[in-house]
DNA sequence: CTGAAAGCGCTTACAG
DNA sequence: CTGAAAGCGCTTACAG
């Protein structure tokens, strides 16, 4: 392989000069710089990553800890992953993708071996056992998802409290007085998906403040169960004019359910979902929805992580960045139908 | 950080002895081995990956070159990625995920920097510009997807020729004599998705051999266009009793199309798709389909790659492994309805 | 503005 | 069965 020694020889300088010419860490005469650069081009030189890492203690790699949970809409994860890898690359970092079942072990292993400069944790749970390891690690980390205790670690998530309120307020303002909220299954919550109750609690509280009805239901995450549950909910609450969906499977099932009942949105019922724009496109869902902003969150987490790696950020100050929810209007909300 | 020097000191041996005790590359007295292992445990020692890579020229990392194309069903990619990362991990490798727009540049960069021991290329096109770079690279590679010229590189793919034949034969045997095949858009083909015509050509040829009708159509990859196209195809070919779908969007749109026409599968029309089992589950598609076997293909590619890295395989012999298609029976095929 | 040398943390011939 | 030493390819004080 071609080394910096080869470059130095071809350029007729010492290895240190070649190194400095490339890093720009000390001033180099233009002629020498040109000779070095020419040598690099002609030889096709690229620094050996391992040697560089050993010498600098910087790998220019970030570790991405994904966590694939049953009953979760796996494809959604891809958007987070792409946000992270693309932003990392733009900033000169590559991404080591860790999909180990045992996230704690993976974190320990990679951290100890100094394979990466920092970590991004995806799908962070309310009580995530990876956080303690991360706090001990010599490398910094950024979370995508808000844990119960984010002390000492930067965290990025959608503001699910604001999302719950926004959904209710939007329909209330249009005149709706009875709503149904379909959440993800309770076991998502049990294994740490606190965002589910954050949204639901906020929605219920806001509905109470506004003096309107909100029927909350934990739905299944699979077909055809969720379809049947939706049917049943609509049967049970005939006066409900608005449907809030914090459940991807429910959103995917709804078109058929409405169709079979001869209902259309928003003429007969208003609908607001909470899922990614990408999901909406894939399933061609015609419902207004609060975007998960997966790509954006992944990018923010990386941006902050790199600032921390670079030390361009106060080490003692940690941020919790909750993205304000925004409804992508697809025209599925309107004033409720007048009852005759 | 804790180094092998620390381990050696605590164990009361030399660094080389500590190293050999851990690698097992020469015989070590049981007592010494035990002392070293104890030191490793108490210190929580893990070798520095960069130093190890520098000394051994082995990184224990494989590079995964993903390629995200417009209009392709991105979530499907996740299954390949998971197959690769999981299999790699089982064999002691980590995975560097490369999502660079410019795959050629990424390949050069990573190869030259010696960050990985080998490459997996996903979504390989008929005329993939990454292949020449890979052939020059010092690291071996495995392809997922069959290019026009796989010379010198191991390739893994579903056997799309067999898949096309199988779809036609299956319905022919049930008594169908007029079929519709919906492929992915032509531009998928133009940018190198040769599997589209491989399947279509094989299906057409087999239909001709069997003396039955096959209407071939390149469908859109998005809603609601593909839904309208399906409507039109059914209108144009009222005598068709079988529908073959090599187009994910078409499969996702079909339930609504059939429903709106008052048709059910397989009573009125038989359907066979070609998409991943995961896709079927996500969209709860009730159609029998040839699985993409993404996970399996990813795993095979990794397995072969690692054998090549380890040199446990004849360096001069290259394989093209085409997975035999298999229909996951979801009950959407039957004898054609009798016409009165 | 440039060079010779030490050091990063490993592995592995070489010597005993 | 074990140890002292060289070397992997970089970077970066140190010295001029």
């Amino acid at each position: 392989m071609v080394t910096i020694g080869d470059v130095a020889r071809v350029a007729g300088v010492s290895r240190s000069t070649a190194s400095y010419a490339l890093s720009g860490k000390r001033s180099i005469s233009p002629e020498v710089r040109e000779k070095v650069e020419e040598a690099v081009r002609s030889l096709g030189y690229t620094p050996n990553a391992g040697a560089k890492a050993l010498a600098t203690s910087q790998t220019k790699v970030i570790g991405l800890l994904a966590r694939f949970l049953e009953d979760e809409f796996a494809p959604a994860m891809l958007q987070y992953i792409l946000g992270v890898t693309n932003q990392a690359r733009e900033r000169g970092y590559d991404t080591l993708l860790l999909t180990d079942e045992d996230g704690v072990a993976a974190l320990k292993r990679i951290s100890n071996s100094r394979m990466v400069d920092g970590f991004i944790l995806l799908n962070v749970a309310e009580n995530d056992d990876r956080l303690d390891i991360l706090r001990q690690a010599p490398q910094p980390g950024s979370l995508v998802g808000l844990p119960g205790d984010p002390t000492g670690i930067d965290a990025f998530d959608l503001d699910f409290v604001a999302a719950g309120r926004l959904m209710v307020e939007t329909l209330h303002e249009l005149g709706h007085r009875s709503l149904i909220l379909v959440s993800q299954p309770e076991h998502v919550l049990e294994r740490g998906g606190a965002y589910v109750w954050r949204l639901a609690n906020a929605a219920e509280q806001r509905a109470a403040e506004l003096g309107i009805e909100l029927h909350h239901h934990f739905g299944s995450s699979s077909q055809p169960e969720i379809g049947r549950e939706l049917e049943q909910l609509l049967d049970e609450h005939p006066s409900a004019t608005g449907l809030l969906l914090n459940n991807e499977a429910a959103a995917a099932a709804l078109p058929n359910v409405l169709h079979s009942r001869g209902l259309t949105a928003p003429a007969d019922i208003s609908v607001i979902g909470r899922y990614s724009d990408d999901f909406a496109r894939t399933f061609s869902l015609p419902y207004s929805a609060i975007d998960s902003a997966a790509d954006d969150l992944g990018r923010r987490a990386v941006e902050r992580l790199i600032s921390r790696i670079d030390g361009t950020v106060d080490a003692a100050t940690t941020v919790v960045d909750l993205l304000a929810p925004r409804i992508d209007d697809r025209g599925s909300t309107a004033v409720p139908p007048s009852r005759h």
Side-chain angles (χ1 to χ4, degrees), chain A residues 32-54:
Chain A
V32 168
R33 174 189 303 279
E34 184 43 50
K35 278 193 295 183
V36 170
E37 281 167 0
E38 176 51 30
V40 166
R41 268 192 300 275
S42 68
L43 294 170
Y45 169 73
T46 309
N48 178 298
K52 196 162 191 169
L54 184 55

